[in-house]
Amino acid sequence: IMRLHRPVLLCLAAALLSTFVTSYPHMWTKLILTHHWPATFCSVEHCHANISYWALHGLWPDKGVDCNVSWHFNSSLIEDLLSDMEKSWPDLRSPTSQKFWKYEWIKHGTCAAQAASLNSQHKYFSKALELYHKADLDGVLKKFDIRPSQKYYSFLQIERVLENFYGTKPKIQCVHPKNADFQVLGQIEICFNPDFTLLDCERQKTVEPLSRGERSQLLSAGTTSEFSVCDHDVPVYYPPL
């Protein structure tokens, strides 16, 4: 019987453990196309909202985070997409920066890349833009007269429009000001199967708490943790620019 020295055994064990740890979280089953409303986002993050349409926040697999931090973002690989990304997927806190896209690629794109259809930066970002334009959330809301306004909407009014149009259940998220008798529409998620067909989103009331370090990282990347599922019984404010 071949006998292995202890250092060799430790290396083999570490390699096996690494394989297990890095492969399991990558097995995602759902993609979440996330849109945020700039006026609401910037009211939370204290930025200047000069965009009056729903912007793309990200394309997120339901499992896995930072799956390959060594796979660095390279904007030269998506040069043909940059003009569309600047308009459709802007960094609302730093409009001239690419750090938001870098953050989204490392955190979510490297996990989505476990699928052959998304296994490059160009495939990931171009598919996100394609789904964003096909969903046309901004156009759908306007078509059914859900527009930014000083008046309030009922949650069910917004939910029914989206469910009837897409044929699936989106996740509609709001900001909940303290001691207010209304909630502010902020983020809408539309979900897809791995083959990019529409899928019901889970609508869970609870939001996993973030550590101080995670909160700081999110803020530096231009994202927010203030959104949570809207309350069905509270009027919804859809703020104009």
Side-chain angles (χ1 to χ4, degrees):
I1 300 174
M2 181 176 65
R3 301 178 66 180
L4 297 176
H5 295 294
R6 188 168 181 271
V8 176
L9 289 172
L10 289 174
C11 288
L12 287 173
L16 288 171
L17 179 60
S18 174
T19 299
F20 175 78
V21 170
T22 57
S23 62
Y24 176 75
H26 301 173
M27 304 304 295
W28 55 270
T29 59
K30 176 175 67 176
L31 287 170
I32 304 165
L33 184 72
T34 307
H35 309 71
H36 53 193
W37 180 242
T40 304
F41 178 93
C42 283
S43 70
V44 173
E45 301 302 336
H46 310 294
C47 51
H48 179 66
N50 58 358
I51 295 173
S52 58
Y53 52 84
W54 284 85
L56 179 58
H57 189 169
L59 183 64
W60 306 339
D62 62 339
K63 296 179 183 177
V65 173
D66 298 331
C67 294
N68 187 350
V69 296
S70 64
W71 195 349
H72 300 300
F73 173 74
N74 183 350
S75 62
S76 68
L77 301 175
I78 54 171
E79 284 186 354
D80 60 314
L81 306 176
L82 291 179
S83 61
D84 192 4
M85 290 181 66
E86 288 169 358
K87 179 179 180 181
S88 304
W89 201 339
D91 185 336
L92 297 174
R93 297 181 79 244
S94 303
T96 61
S97 171
Q98 295 184 352
K99 64 182 180 180
F100 184 30
W101 304 334
K102 175 182 177 181
Y103 176 85
E104 289 294 308
W105 166 249
I106 294 296
K107 183 172 183 179
H108 301 293
T110 59
C111 300
Q114 295 303 307
S117 56
L118 299 170
N119 66 359
S120 72
Q121 292 183 47
H122 194 279
K123 287 181 181 179
Y124 172 72
F125 286 109
S126 62
K127 178 56 72 172
L129 290 168
E130 176 189 332
L131 294 175
Y132 168 79
H133 290 303
K134 283 185 175 179
D136 188 21
L137 174 64
D138 197 73
V140 170
L141 290 172
K142 289 176 180 176
K143 178 179 180 180
F144 293 95
D145 206 29
I146 306 292
R147 301 173 182 272
S149 172
Q150 295 296 336
K151 71 177 184 179
Y152 293 160
Y153 295 93
S154 72
F155 174 82
L156 288 177
Q157 183 180 2
I158 298 171
E159 183 181 54
R160 284 171 182 163
V161 161
L162 297 180
E163 288 187 5
N164 289 339
F165 184 84
Y166 295 112
T168 54
K169 295 180 182 293
K171 180 184 285 187
I172 306 171
Q173 297 172 304
C174 292
V175 172
H176 305 268
K178 290 183 179 180
N179 303 317
D181 58 359
F182 63 91
Q183 55 193 336
V184 185
L185 186 62
Q187 187 159 277
I188 296 177
E189 298 177 358
I190 298 172
C191 299
F192 295 86
N193 287 297
D195 64 356
F196 309 116
T197 56
L198 285 163
L199 174 72
D200 285 350
C201 292
E202 296 174 359
R203 293 182 295 172
Q204 297 176 342
K205 200 69 168 159
T206 57
V207 177
E208 191 171 320
L210 297 173
S211 69
R212 182 178 298 179
E214 288 172 327
R215 171 66 176 167
S216 176
Q217 185 180 22
L218 285 170
L219 289 177
S220 68
T223 60
T224 181
S225 63
E226 299 293 335
F227 300 132
S228 59
V229 176
C230 301
D231 191 314
H232 283 57
D233 301 318
V234 177
V236 178
Y237 178 48
Y238 183 9
L241 184 64

